[in-house]
Amino acid sequence: MLRSITGMNNGLSFMKQMLLSANVRCFSVAAVNRVKEIIVTKDNKKTIIEGILKPSDRVNLLLDPPADTNHEACSICRLDVDIKHTDVLILSQFMRSDGGMLPRRVTGLCRTQQKRMSKLVTMALKAGLMPNLAPANSKRDPARRDKFKKNHRYFDESTIRPPFRMKYPEDRSLH
Amino acid sequence: MRNIFERVKQWNTLTRIWHLYDAKWQDPFDSAKVIQKYLKGLHKPIYHPLADCGDHVVVINCKEIAMRGDEWRKRAYFHHTGYAGGGTYTLAWELHDKNPLMIMKKAVYRSMKGNLQRRYTMERLHLYAEENVPQDIIENISSVIPQLRDVPMRLDRMPEDQVKGYPKIWDLPKDYVVR
């Protein structure tokens, strides 16, 4: 909101800022993201499908970005932490309830991190660490899987190709 | 003898100590490298190949060992009966189905050099598929070998308030349809 108000004085700078802020994801306390939930109720001879807008349950739990944050970096590059495939509490944030990975247009990650996260999610699912996030026909219990899949497996994150471990370059102007 | 700790140190060196190792979610081949040191007594200052100073190691939860990546179906165990055409290759997961102790036993056996002492050293290794160990073995245990890898937590076994209350690093976009 601050951007648009200051930009109103000069039409050119307003346009410039609009163009610049196209890829910027806004983190602010005032804006409330709403998500849509579709509820299907079936009566006799009547089916009601309604979409309800409700505030996202993540609003109060969002991490504050660090003070020297680069707003062009995605939410994981900004954090600058080494995420392992056993960090299911982080990985489950990028997943649907049926165990699928959310697409990049929803997660807002950069290409590198989206690829890395999807590989880590695959590792965690193969290791059976998130059996509750699975399609409806899933057996849920990893011990009931077939053949070699039923035994415990772990993965080495260094087998993910090196560009995905690349860190966001430091800001030289601060030093 | 300076103090009580020095005295205990000497007892620990000159007697056979029984160590406990929990193999849950541990790599058997990495674990074997650690276990064989205790079996041979390499961790003791008086170690010498001819000094019979090795300890006992009790390994529990051998059924719950973990292997890296595809190793359960890539690793094959070869056995030959001695007759013509008697060779068989058994995959690691097939062997583990038949005998949950065998992979751990072979891993420790192979981690040691093949000499005359190896069979006697293996006698000091006690393997159990699960947590229930006979009472006369439990009584001896006085030391625990730390695990090499953390046992991972499963998402469905975490308390629900912990999962819901965990900090979120991004928010769902506007008009996202919850599924």
Side-chain angles (χ1 to χ4, degrees):
Chain A
M1 286 307 284
L2 196 67
R3 277 172 193 277
S4 56
I5 291 165
T6 52
M8 283 298 269
N9 299 330
N10 188 338
L12 194 71
S13 71
F14 173 64
M15 281 302 290
K16 198 176 161 191
Q17 290 207 348
M18 280 295 283
L19 286 170
L20 277 176
S21 62
N23 291 326
V24 174
R25 259 182 59 70
C26 241
F27 271 80
S28 61
V29 185
V32 179
N33 269 0
R34 293 180 185 281
V35 291
K36 200 185 273 181
E37 194 170 321
I38 291 177
I39 300 169
V40 181
T41 37
K42 273 186 187 173
D43 253 340
N44 43 348
K45 292 183 183 177
K46 197 165 66 177
T47 307
I48 306 167
I49 302 173
E50 49 181 341
I52 299 171
L53 277 179
K54 59 172 194 179
S56 159
D57 55 356
R58 299 186 178 191
V59 173
N60 299 325
L61 296 164
L62 276 182
L63 268 186
D64 288 333
D68 58 342
T69 184
N70 184 333
H71 283 285
E72 285 175 21
C74 74
S75 51
I76 293 204
C77 291
R78 207 179 296 170
L79 272 181
D80 195 21
V81 290
D82 189 15
I83 299 174
K84 303 266 192 276
H85 76 284
T86 48
D87 299 332
V88 283
L89 285 171
I90 293 177
L91 294 179
S92 60
Q93 294 177 24
F94 297 99
M95 291 169 69
R96 264 186 260 114
S97 59
D98 65 351
M101 179 85 184
L102 287 168
R104 196 159 82 93
R105 69 187 145 78
V106 174
T107 58
L109 296 178
C110 64
R111 204 179 294 273
T112 308
Q113 294 294 357
Q114 175 78 13
K115 197 103 177 168
R116 185 173 162 78
M117 283 306 117
S118 63
K119 296 217 169 189
L120 290 174
V121 163
T122 313
M123 287 176 173
L125 288 173
K126 280 184 178 178
L129 301 181
M130 298 189 275
N132 51 340
L133 301 181
N137 61 350
S138 164
K139 290 173 185 168
R140 304 274 163 175
D141 185 11
R144 287 180 60 209
R145 286 179 183 173
D146 202 22
K147 295 179 178 178
F148 59 91
K149 292 175 194 162
K150 63 179 172 292
N151 297 320
H152 291 325
R153 273 188 286 176
Y154 71 91
F155 295 89
D156 186 1
E157 285 84 7
S158 66
T159 55
I160 302 176
R161 278 197 289 153
F164 303 136
R165 291 173 63 82
M166 196 172 66
K167 287 183 176 174
Y168 197 82
E170 283 178 33
D171 191 0
R172 295 280 168 94
S173 63
L174 296 170
H175 300 297
Chain B
M1 199 104 0
R2 238 169 267 157
N3 54 34
I4 188 168
F5 298 112
E6 296 280 321
R7 196 167 66 203
V8 172
K9 237 193 237 174
Q10 182 152 355
W11 290 345
N12 282 341
T13 305
L14 298 175
T15 53
R16 286 205 199 281
I17 307 296
W18 288 63
H19 303 273
L20 182 73
Y21 184 76
D22 188 355
K24 198 171 198 175
W25 276 94
Q26 304 302 306
D27 189 301
F29 314 106
D30 295 346
S31 308
K33 284 180 194 162
V34 176
I35 290 169
Q36 60 103 359
K37 286 188 181 177
Y38 287 90
L39 287 175
K40 289 200 282 198
L42 275 163
H43 60 300
K44 295 184 177 183
I46 60 160
Y47 172 75
H48 186 270
L50 297 180
D52 187 16
C53 60
D55 287 346
H56 290 264
V57 178
V58 179
V59 183
I60 58 168
N61 285 327
C62 283
K63 205 174 182 177
E64 307 255 319
I65 53 172
M67 280 202 207
R68 202 185 105 173
D70 270 355
E71 224 170 319
W72 280 112
R73 55 173 170 156
K74 296 282 181 191
R75 185 175 281 270
Y77 287 85
F78 178 70
H79 179 254
H80 204 290
T81 59
Y83 291 96
T88 51
Y89 291 90
T90 312
L91 299 179
W93 66 269
E94 291 171 329
L95 184 67
H96 200 59
D97 280 357
K98 284 174 183 157
N99 186 352
L101 310 179
M102 196 58 99
I103 287 175
M104 199 69 196
K105 188 181 174 185
K106 280 179 177 290
V108 177
Y109 187 77
R110 285 172 184 185
S111 69
M112 291 187 286
K113 208 173 159 187
N115 53 20
L116 289 176
Q117 206 56 43
R118 178 159 67 163
R119 303 272 174 159
Y120 298 106
T121 313
M122 284 298 288
E123 291 292 304
R124 278 181 243 122
L125 180 68
H126 310 272
L127 299 171
Y128 294 93
E130 278 152 23
E131 275 177 2
N132 35 7
V133 183
Q135 189 59 31
D136 56 332
I137 301 254
I138 282 191
E139 281 168 359
N140 301 320
I141 293 167
S142 60
S143 163
V144 174
I145 303 174
Q147 285 182 316
L148 300 178
R149 298 173 50 79
D150 288 339
V151 177
M153 272 286 267
R154 260 168 64 170
L155 189 66
D156 59 332
R157 288 187 181 162
M158 289 181 191
E160 200 167 323
D161 53 334
Q162 192 193 338
V163 177
K164 285 199 169 161
Y166 192 77
K168 302 286 184 278
I169 54 183
W170 67 290
D171 200 359
L172 292 164
K174 220 172 185 177
D175 274 14
Y176 174 73
V177 179
V178 178
R179 276 176 70 185

